């Protein structure tokens, strides 16, 4: 079984060794190569992954437009990070747990959650599984073993470790895959989680999307260390830097890490090096902190065109099939959006629901 | 039945619950071999092994955060925070995560955990081993806050808390830990949550107190009964939130007077909420302004601990003044 590489085993010329801005520049610019796509990945999986990436991309674009029109309140997407998120999601087995940050709706959909449920949450309508209690993109789905999105950064990391610990105690081989951004690596809970996971050898995979920024802050202002994967060393766990714009490389690394965790070999920290093409969220204006040239350069290496090129090269996809796929995705989104937007707001009494299992006296009545 | 102090009663309860249900796990700093700094978890490690009695790294956010994950998976974790004063590094996990999980997932996910923590002053613990932070958590929708005052209630409330589907904060008055002994059933039993106890019946004034301060309230009540022929009715809420308001209201409707005693600072303390609730629901029955006898709005002092705590000598004049109003 192939193993995720320990950072120490990564050849020095593949690692970022200096702390200067150029090094970070390289880190923010994953290679545009398409030649390394593993050939052992079945075509069906590649196409499923590609379709999921297309769906996520178009959802992002459509939702951002809806937000601009005032039809939804907020959106935080993953345009540009599709390979990192969906490549990792594709490696999950049904029994594994997805512990999201807030950009991973694509991973939830990949697991089979209905698009309608995600959009119901986006609109906060009466079918929203969260009863309109949370702002958009704060989704969950117990049926798909996806925990609930929390706004406070980093808090989900120890939950993943607890899930993993509990699974092992119950004699199951479930693994928890937890997503977070580079900014989250500065949070207390990142360090708590890696430390607990290391000591407990918990079956958990930490997937850090190094998308270059935490709102306006470049990753170089987040840490003085040599990237993020190296932080694994201090906690006695495996760490690996992965080209996060290469969906199949992410898939392979995540699969290896999950397999290792399930086999009792403990946690792995993956640093998925990618780039956030959009603003941090619909509330952010990235022109204040980064240049158009930088975004254009990143755009040239964005993961969907790259996957498309690879599939064209291997003959696993042609232009006609590609167009058919895109049209199908578009139609699916249009119909799901129409239905979700037409639904009414949740009933007033949902305001007081779900605070406790049983509603105490002080939450009854109207005042 | 067996004579037990609170440490022994809680320990017995933990043994029983862990033996009955393999999903119950205990975690925290030093809870394993040594049995916790107050020895409340002593013997569990030997009985149930280090997988279920987990000595954790020193990080409260990590303890509570991983416990939340365990609870989400279906375990019933009982994290221990060594002293309530050290709950603040885990505050975010409690108020933003444990308390909100049910609400934010539309009831799909729940966090059935019981956070045990010794609280309060009176053992010369100084500023950082004496605090009473219950109000912070009562203010947090989604948490339940329990505070037993004696060994019998402690064991029964612990079982009820473990069986409760919501996160419970279980404040153990450390001054009572070994000071009070009483007969406790060896068989499992529950003291239901959100049910107050009328500890001393009376007709002239209602006194509400919890944890170690209940004993000060009782001492004060005895003194004014002898000196002034004032019969104070003393109520222990036992569960602070969600509160059994009805028992308190019923008493106030009878006595017309209310005195609240708590160790925590006064401003925005739970006493303030109790006064508000009683005014809202029983104003016409009040014959005197409700009074609070509390800690001061300062950090907790080491050398002047007995002056800070609302001991009986400060409660007695409040009772006299309220009844004489
Ligand atoms: C504890 C906390 N502090 C601040 C914020 C505000 N905030 C929201 S997202 C964000 C940046 C997060 O960056 P990163 O972890 O890198 O994730 P990314 O957005 O890049 O995916 C900040 C500061 C927050 N949500 N939580």
């Amino acid at each position: 079984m192939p193993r995720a590489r320990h950072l120490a085993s990564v050849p020095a010329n593949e690692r970022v060794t200096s702390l200067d801005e150029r090094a970070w520049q390289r880190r923010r610019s994953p290679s545009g190569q398409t030649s390394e796509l593993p050939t052992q990945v079945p075509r069906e999986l590649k196409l499923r992954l590609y379709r999921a990436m297309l769906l996520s991309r178009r959802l992002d674009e459509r939702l951002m437009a809806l937000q601009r029109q005032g039809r939804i309140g907020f959106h935080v997407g993953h345009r540009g990070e599709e390979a990192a998120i969906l490549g990792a999601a594709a490696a999950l087995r049904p029994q594994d747990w997805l512990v999201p940050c807030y950009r991973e709706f694509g991973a939830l959909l990949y697991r089979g959650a209905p698009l309608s449920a995600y959009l119901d949450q986006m609109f906060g309508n009466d079918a929203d599984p969260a009863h309109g209690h949370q702002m958009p993109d704060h989704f969950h789905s117990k049926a798909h073993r996806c925990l609930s999105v929390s706004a406070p950064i980093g808090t989900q990391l120890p939950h993943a470790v607890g899930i993993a610990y509990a699974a092992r105690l119950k004699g199951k081989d479930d693994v928890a895959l937890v997503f977070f951004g580079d900014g989250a690596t500065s949070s207390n809970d990142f360090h708590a989680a890696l430390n607990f996971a290391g000591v407990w050898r918990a079956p958990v995979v930490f997937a850090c999307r190094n998308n270059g920024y935490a709102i306006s802050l470049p990753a170089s202002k987040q840490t003085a260390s040599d990237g993020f994967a190296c932080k694994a060393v201090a906690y006695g766990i495996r760490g690996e830097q992965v080209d996060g714009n290469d969906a199949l490389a992410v898939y392979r690394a995540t699969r290896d890490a999950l397999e290792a965790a399930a086999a009792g070999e403990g946690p792995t920290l993956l640093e998925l090096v990618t780039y956030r093409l959009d603003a941090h969220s619909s509330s952010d204006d990235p022109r204040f902190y980064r240049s158009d040239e930088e975004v254009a350069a990143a755009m040239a290496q964005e993961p969907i065109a790259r996957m498309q090129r690879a599939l064209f090269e291997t003959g696993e996809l042609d232009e006609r099939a590609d167009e058919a796929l895109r049209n199908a995705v578009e139609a699916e989104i249009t119909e799901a959006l129409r239905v979700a937007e037409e639904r009414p707001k949740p009933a007033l009494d949902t305001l007081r629901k779900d605070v406790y299992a049983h509603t105490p006296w002080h939450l009854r009545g109207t005042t | 039945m067996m004579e037990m102090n609170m440490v022994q009663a809680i320990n017995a309860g933990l043994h029983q619950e862990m033996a009955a249900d393999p999903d119950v796990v205990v975690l925290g700093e030093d809870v394993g071999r040594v049995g916790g700094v107050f020895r409340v978890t002593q013997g569990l490690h030997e009985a149930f092994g280090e997988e279920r009695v987990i000595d954790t790294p020193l990080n409260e956010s990590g303890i509570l955060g991983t416990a939340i994950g365990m609870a989400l998976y279906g375990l019933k974790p009982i994290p221990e925070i060594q002293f309530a004063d050290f709950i603040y590094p885990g505050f975010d996990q409690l108020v933003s995560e444990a308390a909100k999980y049910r609400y934010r997932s539309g009831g799909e996910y729940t966090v059935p955990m019981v956070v045990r923590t010794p609280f309060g002053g009176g053992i010369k613990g100084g500023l950082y081993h004496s605090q009473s932070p219950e109000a912070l958590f009562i203010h947090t929708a989604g948490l339940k806050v329990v505070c037993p005052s004696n060994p019998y209630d402690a064991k029964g409330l612990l079982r009820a808390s473990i069986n409760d589907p919501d996160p419970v904060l279980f404040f153990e008055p450390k001054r009572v830990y070994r000071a009070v002994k009483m007969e406790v059933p060896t068989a499992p039993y529950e003291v239901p949550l959100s049910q107050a106890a009328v500890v001393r019946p009376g007709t002239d004034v209602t006194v509400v107190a919890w944890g170690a301060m209940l004993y000060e309230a009782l001492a004060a009540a005895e003194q004014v009964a002898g000196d002034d022929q004032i019969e104070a009715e003393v109520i222990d809420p036992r569960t602070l939130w969600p509160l059994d308001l009805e028992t308190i209201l019923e008493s106030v409707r009878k006595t017309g007077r209310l005195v609240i005693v708590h160790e925590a600072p006064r401003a925005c303390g739970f006493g303030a909420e109790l006064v508000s609730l009683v005014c809202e629901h029983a104003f016409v029955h009040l014959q005197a302004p409700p009074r609070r006898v509390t800690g001061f709005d300062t950090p907790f002092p080491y050398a002047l601990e007995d002056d800070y705590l609302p001991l009986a000598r400060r409660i007695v004049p409040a009772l006299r003044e309220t009844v004489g109003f």
Side-chain angles (χ1 to χ4, degrees):
Chain A
M1 181 169 40
R3 288 277 161 269
R5 289 180 302 178
H6 192 287
L7 184 73
S9 73
V10 176
N13 62 355
E14 284 184 30
R15 276 191 278 158
V16 175
T17 48
S18 92
L19 297 175
D20 66 18
E21 200 53 39
R22 273 210 329 279
W24 281 104
Q25 207 60 44
R26 276 213 309 283
R27 192 180 304 285
R28 286 207 303 267
S29 307
S31 103
Q33 300 302 309
T34 57
S35 54
E36 270 193 56
L37 295 178
T39 48
Q40 71 270 33
V41 178
R43 171 171 185 257
E44 196 190 330
L45 193 151
K46 286 186 198 172
L47 288 180
R48 185 173 169 212
L49 185 49
Y50 178 63
R51 187 189 197 277
M53 289 166 73
L54 285 178
L55 180 82
S56 299
R57 173 68 57 93
R58 279 305 287 153
L59 267 174
D60 262 336
E61 291 164 352
R62 300 278 303 263
L63 288 168
M64 206 57 93
L66 286 185
Q67 196 279 336
R68 293 294 179 246
Q69 295 161 17
R71 289 157 68 190
I72 56 171
F74 175 80
H75 180 53
V76 54
H78 58 236
R79 210 166 142 270
E81 301 179 53
E82 291 89 351
I85 291 163
L86 292 154
L92 286 168
R93 305 162 305 161
Q95 70 267 40
D96 294 328
W97 292 72
L98 170 65
V99 185
C101 172
Y102 41 59
R103 297 193 193 280
E104 291 84 17
F105 66 86
L108 177 62
L109 298 177
Y110 192 92
R111 302 212 84 190
L115 178 57
S116 61
Y118 167 64
L119 292 178
D120 289 333
Q121 202 281 322
M122 291 303 294
F123 283 96
N125 66 28
D126 71 346
D128 171 8
H131 300 163
H133 290 163
Q134 288 230 76
M135 72 191 290
D137 279 314
H138 287 59
F139 50 84
H140 75 277
S141 176
K142 196 173 181 185
H144 301 89
R145 295 206 155 185
C146 173
L147 295 196
S148 125
V149 172
S150 177
I153 290 294
T155 50
Q156 77 278 21
L157 285 138
H159 303 169
V161 181
I163 289 263
Y165 186 95
R168 193 183 54 196
L169 187 71
K170 300 281 267 180
K172 302 284 172 52
D173 80 340
D174 316 357
V175 178
L177 171 70
V178 54
F179 282 102
F180 51 101
D182 42 290
T185 65
S186 298
S187 71
N188 300 332
D189 279 335
F190 169 80
H191 300 282
L194 264 73
N195 193 42
F196 275 58
V199 171
W200 291 349
R201 301 206 61 70
V204 56
V205 177
F206 298 96
C208 174
R209 293 178 287 91
N210 177 3
N211 61 10
Y213 288 92
I215 307 189
S216 69
L217 242 60
S220 59
K221 287 230 165 69
Q222 211 62 244
T223 184
S225 70
D226 182 11
F228 297 98
C230 67
K231 291 176 191 288
V233 175
Y235 297 104
I237 70 178
R238 281 180 307 274
E240 187 187 5
Q241 247 177 17
V242 184
D243 180 344
N245 277 6
D246 181 343
L248 296 181
V250 174
Y251 166 76
R252 189 176 48 182
T254 311
R255 190 198 56 194
D256 290 352
L258 288 169
E259 277 177 4
E265 291 166 29
T268 302
L269 168 62
L270 298 175
E271 178 184 350
L272 311 174
V273 182
T274 178
Y275 190 84
R276 197 193 77 208
L277 288 175
D278 270 342
H280 165 73
S281 73
S282 54
S283 310
D284 172 43
D285 186 350
R287 286 171 304 182
F288 286 110
Y289 56 84
R290 67 184 188 188
S291 65
D292 293 345
E293 294 75 47
E294 180 185 308
V295 182
M299 193 67 196
Q301 297 177 351
E302 65 87 16
I304 293 186
R306 185 168 157 180
M307 181 94 171
Q308 184 201 46
R309 276 202 303 278
L311 291 170
F312 282 176
E313 270 171 30
T314 56
E316 288 164 299
L317 186 74
D318 60 24
E319 283 194 20
R320 265 196 40 212
D322 189 39
E323 201 189 315
L325 212 52
R326 285 169 193 264
N327 288 341
V329 159
E330 199 67 34
E332 186 184 343
I333 295 173
T334 302
E335 175 57 11
L337 276 174
R338 186 187 63 74
V339 174
E341 191 170 18
E342 279 172 9
R343 295 194 72 97
K345 276 191 357 178
L348 190 57
D349 69 352
T350 56
L351 183 80
R352 277 180 251 260
K353 267 178 90 165
D354 313 318
V355 181
Y356 302 96
H358 309 289
T359 307
W361 66 268
H362 72 278
L363 290 175
R364 295 189 212 121
T366 49
T367 53
Chain B
M1 286 285 195
M2 226 175 108
E3 173 118 321
M4 290 186 200
N5 64 30
M6 189 183 276
V7 168
Q8 292 163 330
I10 296 172
N11 180 272
L14 289 170
H15 263 281
Q16 244 156 31
E17 300 307 321
M18 290 192 79
D21 184 350
D23 286 340
V24 178
V25 300
V26 162
L27 68 159
E29 294 154 17
D30 307 295
V31 298
R33 247 170 246 293
V34 58
V37 292
F38 289 100
R39 307 289 180 265
V40 177
T41 57
Q42 208 164 43
L44 298 176
H45 187 263
E46 288 76 358
F48 304 106
E50 61 179 14
E51 296 264 283
R52 288 180 65 201
V53 183
I54 311 158
D55 269 323
T56 66
L58 200 166
N59 186 300
E60 284 69 21
S61 194
I63 293 167
L64 297 170
T66 53
I68 289 170
M70 294 176 195
L72 292 170
Y73 193 88
L75 299 184
K76 291 181 179 175
I78 310 182
E80 174 181 295
I81 299 298
Q82 206 157 68
F83 286 84
D85 310 65
F86 308 128
I87 209 162
Y88 303 110
F91 191 68
D92 189 36
Q93 283 294 342
L94 277 175
V95 306
S96 305
E97 304 299 314
K100 307 289 194 287
Y101 232 107
R102 179 185 290 281
Y103 196 70
R104 76 188 203 208
S105 66
E108 264 187 50
Y109 281 114
T110 60
V111 180
M113 69 174 185
V114 182
V115 183
R116 292 184 37 252
T117 186
F119 86 114
I123 60 149
K124 287 281 168 213
L127 171 53
Y128 289 116
H129 302 83
S130 307
Q131 295 172 50
S132 301
E134 64 269 24
L136 296 169
F137 300 100
I138 293 167
H139 193 65
T140 301
L143 293 178
K144 294 187 173 177
V145 181
V146 172
C147 180
S149 64
N150 64 60
Y152 177 89
D153 284 355
K155 188 171 175 224
L157 286 167
L158 179 67
R159 182 174 163 85
S161 300
I162 293 170
N163 289 332
D164 193 273
D166 290 310
V168 174
L169 217 55
F170 198 84
F171 283 107
E172 298 168 4
K174 64 174 95 69
R175 198 166 76 136
V176 178
Y177 262 162
R178 294 175 191 278
V180 177
K181 280 195 165 168
M182 65 198 291
E183 289 290 319
V184 174
T186 43
Y189 63 92
E190 278 195 22
V191 171
L193 301 188
S194 296
Q195 261 186 36
V198 179
V199 180
R200 181 190 194 282
T203 47
D204 300 324
V205 54
T206 300
V207 185
V208 182
W210 52 93
M213 290 308 104
L214 183 75
Y215 300 93
E216 298 300 326
L218 286 170
E222 288 308 315
Q223 193 180 329
V224 295
D227 296 354
D228 312 83
Q229 273 76 55
I230 294 174
E231 287 303 330
E233 178 149 297
V234 180
I235 295 179
D236 177 359
R238 301 197 289 194
T239 297
L240 303 185
W241 204 256
L243 177 72
D244 173 7
L245 180 62
E246 203 40 52
T247 297
I248 296 170
L249 291 180
E250 205 175 296
S251 175
V252 170
R253 285 185 202 115
K254 177 174 67 181
T255 64
R257 296 175 173 86
L258 175 67
V259 171
I260 293 149
V261 183
H262 65 62
E263 296 188 41
R266 171 178 306 218
C268 296
F270 187 45
E273 179 64 27
L274 287 172
V275 169
S276 292
L277 285 169
V278 167
C279 286
E280 278 172 20
H281 294 275
F283 186 73
V284 294
H285 297 276
L286 286 171
Q287 295 170 40
R291 288 279 299 259
R292 288 173 289 165
V293 189
T294 67
F296 296 96
D297 290 329
T298 67
F300 195 98
Y302 172 70
L304 299 176
E305 176 173 74
D306 285 350
D307 298 282
Y308 178 90
L309 290 172
L311 301 185
R313 62 173 183 255
R314 275 171 59 201
I315 302 170
V316 166
L319 294 178
R320 288 186 183 136
E321 284 161 27
T322 301
V323 174
F325 179 80

